[in-house]
Amino acid sequence: MFKFLLLMLLSTSVLADSLSWTGPTHNTDGSVLTDLAGYKIYYGNTEGGPYPELLVDIDNPSVVNYELPVLPSGDYYFVSTAYNTSGVESDYSNEAQKTIIVEPNPPTNLIVDAGNLTAYILVQSRNNIALLPVGNVIAGTECDSTQNVKGHYIVPVESVEFIAQVNPQVVVAKCV
Amino acid sequence: MDAQLTWELPTPGPRQNTISHVLIEGRLTGIQEWTAINTVDAPETSLTIQDIVPGGWEFRGTVVDIDDKRSPPLIATLVVPYDEPSSLVSFDAALV
């Protein structure tokens, strides 16, 4: 006799960059679940569904978490299902939401633009950082692309021709 | 080393509007243009510049009313001294 099984809904949550869920222990008819075979995770980009994309098929019932792969920026809504050894799949679990923000890599090979050679020092007060001009940077100077302050990057102090009577440790300039 | 700017706000006269804030600008000796450093809402009367770099500084304070009318500015100067130099990296004596 064919026994159509539906599995209990799972509980899905998003933790940091992984999904975790709680597997079912019973069938929908109340009987004890003995033939759990695995889980599937689906996702969509609309709250409340649909979830047209299959993220992963995990054919191991003891696995209850999954590290998210790199996904494009956006809002994601995940649900999971459980399936048994007969391939019968449960209804969707609750929905878990995650917003993925992919930051671009910092720019590389930045140099001081010949059209904007002003060198600045940083003046910090309360929650504001002001850029005060102190001289000019030698055109073509390489910039430190790893630190961006208001669209300006650190340049070597020795590349600055100071006009102001100052001897700072950090100087920034507009780089391209 | 920090620098602290302090001021006293004027009391608006009968033909003057409510004071909104004070615009603080600064420049280093040798530079012509002024640069906005911060705005301080009334009735606050101070601003701290953190880790101010040694050199010759000029600061300019301008009162701004709620219609963005501006007062003549007042200027304050500050010379931030350099720290004493570090000790020699090494210092030895030997017979030669």
Side-chain angles (χ1 to χ4, degrees), chain A residues 124-126 128 163-166, chain B residues 29-30 37-38 44 46 50 54:
Chain A
Q124 185 168 0
S125 62
R126 296 199 179 175
N128 188 56
I163 299 174
Q165 297 171 18
V166 68
Chain B
T29 303
I37 290 177
N38 216 322
E44 293 191 57
S46 69
Q50 296 159 337

Side-chain angles (χ1 to χ4, degrees), chain B residues 15 17-18 20-21 62-71:
Chain B
R15 293 172 56 82
N17 215 333
T18 305
S20 167
H21 60 270
T62 304
V63 179
V64 183
D65 73 10
I66 58 176
D67 276 340
D68 207 34
K69 282 195 172 64
R70 299 185 174 199
S71 73

Side-chain angles (χ1 to χ4, degrees), chain B residues 43-93:
Chain B
E44 293 191 57
T45 56
S46 69
L47 179 70
T48 300
I49 310 293
Q50 296 159 337
D51 296 322
I52 192 164
V53 174
W57 289 80
E58 283 184 292
F59 297 98
R60 185 166 81 173
T62 304
V63 179
V64 183
D65 73 10
I66 58 176
D67 276 340
D68 207 34
K69 282 195 172 64
R70 299 185 174 199
S71 73
L74 279 189
I75 294 177
T77 60
L78 178 67
V79 175
V80 181
Y82 288 92
D83 294 337
E84 62 190 31
S86 304
S87 300
L88 293 166
V89 175
S90 66
F91 189 56
D92 299 309

Side-chain angles (χ1 to χ4, degrees), chain B residues 14-35:
Chain B
R15 293 172 56 82
Q16 292 176 317
N17 215 333
T18 305
I19 294 171
S20 167
H21 60 270
V22 174
L23 171 64
I24 302 296
E25 298 169 288
R27 68 182 179 185
L28 289 148
T29 303
I31 300 293
Q32 295 291 329
E33 73 233 51
W34 292 93
T35 299

Side-chain angles (χ1 to χ4, degrees), chain A residues 26-156:
Chain A
H26 290 73
N27 294 305
T28 52
D29 62 2
S31 60
V32 175
L33 177 60
T34 60
D35 56 351
L36 181 63
Y39 306 95
K40 294 181 180 180
I41 301 174
Y42 302 86
Y43 71 90
N45 300 113
T46 303
E47 185 177 9
Y51 314 100
E53 305 292 334
L54 175 64
L55 181 65
V56 65
D57 181 345
I58 300 171
D59 58 358
N60 183 341
S62 64
V63 174
V64 290
N65 56 75
Y66 176 71
E67 186 173 333
L68 288 172
V70 175
L71 295 169
S73 295
D75 292 326
Y76 290 81
Y77 301 89
F78 300 93
V79 293
S80 56
T81 64
Y83 59 89
N84 62 14
T85 54
S86 299
V88 178
E89 193 170 353
S90 72
D91 289 339
Y92 288 144
S93 69
N94 62 296
E95 179 185 272
Q97 188 273 338
K98 182 169 180 65
T99 298
I100 293 177
I101 300 171
V102 178
E103 294 181 1
N105 289 327
T108 57
N109 301 323
L110 291 174
I111 61 172
V112 175
D113 183 13
N116 195 340
L117 298 176
T118 306
Y120 303 88
I121 60 169
L122 307 177
V123 180
Q124 185 168 0
S125 62
R126 296 199 179 175
N127 295 323
N128 188 56
I129 296 177
L131 303 178
L132 253 66
V134 293
N136 297 300
V137 188
I138 299 171
T141 296
E142 286 188 17
C143 309
D144 179 356
S145 63
T146 61
Q147 298 181 69
N148 179 333
V149 179
K150 292 190 163 186
H152 293 67
Y153 297 84
I154 294 176
V155 293

